Amino acid sequence: MAMAAQAEPDGDGYLLSGSKLWVTNGAEADVFVVFARVPEQGVTGFVVERGAAGLTVGAPMDKMGLARASLTSLYLEGCRVPADAVLEGPGRGAAVFHTAMLHERALILAPAVGVMRAQLEAGLKHARTRRQFGRPIGKNQLVAARVVEMYERYVLARMLLEKTCAALVDGTLDAPLACLTKLRLSEWALAQHLDAIRLHGGTGYLEETGLPAHLRDAIGGVLYSGTSDMQRVILAAHLGL
Ligand SMILES: Cc1cc2nc3c(=O)[nH]c(=O)nc-3n(C[C@H](O)[C@H](O)[C@H](O)COP(=O)(O)OP(=O)(O)OC[C@H]3O[C@@H](n4cnc5c(N)ncnc54)[C@H](O)[C@@H]3O)c2cc1C
């Protein structure tokens, strides 16, 4: 794991130093989970409470979307935590991280499936009611095909999410399925929002429709929790490549 933060044993606790970029909800969090390298113990997870001496939370960053999720940095300068702040035990950080990522990648795009459905329903209504050249635009095969693609994406995204949730419940969820879910749901959501804008023509470009905001949010989806490239890198390794 690439990681800059360090932790030194200090009496019955640890001293943390380093910085963490990209902390979603950092402006609101009361508690942070920090992973750091401990000499001779390995990567270890720590629970650090907001307000701890030596912990500074950076200002929220200005970003293109996801307005309701703050994004900050975290700076640790000799931040002392007690021994019971260690998650799962010294040197168990990588295992904690991988378990957290498994759940995150499986579920983080679940809300996007609902938004994809809303886009499909709004798109269908628009294709039936918007008239150009004397007939509803949905009577043009190219427009109908776009709506059908929106339908395909929504149905497939929902099926994949349901399969992933079932695997989570019965304890069979593995990294390839979690990566595949994160990859497909984020890419389908991005394509869905772009198609929704195309379907609405120039109106879709107006902020008042809410469509541009959805598109900006969806771009974040192919970046956070590991980019689509990185999901494919993991899947390629799973396939033995
Ligand atoms: C809205 C948002 C919220 C985020 N929240 C968090 C958070 O809460 N916690 C957190 O830890 N991070 C968070 N991130 C960070 C995010 O996980 C990283 O930005 C992302 O993993 C990419 O890392 P990077 O920015 O360092 O890009 P880089 O690693 O520099 O990658 C740049 C480009 O190169 C590609 N690339 C890099 N290495 C490889 C490779 N080996 N094979 C193929 N392609 C490669 C990438 O896919 C990308 O296209 C967030 C990011 C965003 C945008």
Side-chain angles (χ1 to χ4, degrees):
M1 294 168 83
M3 181 172 301
Q6 301 276 344
E8 290 282 341
D10 178 56
D12 59 353
Y14 291 84
L15 278 180
L16 304 180
S17 57
S19 57
K20 170 76 185 95
L21 306 174
W22 308 105
V23 181
T24 294
N25 295 326
E28 297 80 19
D30 293 322
V31 173
F32 299 91
V33 174
V34 173
F35 294 93
R37 282 188 198 284
V38 184
E40 292 167 23
Q41 295 181 3
V43 175
T44 301
F46 298 90
V47 175
V48 183
E49 294 193 18
R50 191 184 201 90
L55 171 73
T56 306
V57 181
M61 289 183 264
D62 197 12
K63 48 189 169 42
M64 70 182 285
L66 297 167
R68 284 164 295 283
S70 68
L71 194 57
T72 68
S73 297
L74 210 59
Y75 305 98
L76 300 147
E77 289 174 76
C79 177
R80 192 172 191 290
V81 292
D84 66 5
V86 171
L87 277 174
E88 290 284 320
R92 298 276 304 141
V96 173
F97 178 79
H98 287 303
T99 303
M101 290 312 291
L102 191 71
H103 288 76
E104 178 173 315
R105 287 175 176 156
L107 299 176
I108 197 164
L109 267 301
V113 179
V115 183
M116 288 171 75
R117 175 177 164 173
Q119 300 286 37
L120 169 66
E121 289 170 354
L124 251 180
K125 186 174 170 202
H126 189 71
R128 287 182 183 132
T129 54
R130 167 74 174 161
R131 297 179 71 86
Q132 282 290 44
F133 305 104
R135 60 182 188 161
I137 57 169
K139 288 295 173 195
N140 297 294
Q141 287 180 332
L142 289 175
V143 174
R146 175 160 292 134
V147 177
V148 170
E149 265 195 79
M150 293 175 76
Y151 172 71
E152 289 169 28
R153 283 188 208 109
Y154 162 64
V155 171
L156 292 173
R158 188 175 171 139
M159 284 167 64
L160 180 55
L161 182 63
E162 284 174 355
K163 177 181 169 62
T164 300
C165 288
L168 191 59
V169 170
D170 69 21
T172 58
L173 179 67
D174 58 12
L177 180 57
C179 286
L180 188 65
T181 306
K182 199 276 162 177
L183 171 65
R184 285 306 351 140
L185 264 52
S186 62
E187 291 289 346
W188 279 332
L190 181 56
Q192 193 87 337
H193 298 317
L194 199 50
D195 267 348
I197 290 177
R198 292 187 214 268
L199 191 62
H200 284 80
T203 311
Y205 199 63
L206 302 180
E207 291 288 355
E208 68 189 43
T209 63
L211 296 175
H214 281 308
L215 181 64
R216 289 195 295 270
D217 290 355
I219 291 173
V222 301
L223 300 173
Y224 58 65
S225 199
T227 62
S228 293
D229 294 332
M230 290 314 296
Q231 310 305 329
R232 290 190 174 103
V233 166
I234 295 168
L235 288 166
H238 170 65
L239 295 174
L241 298 173

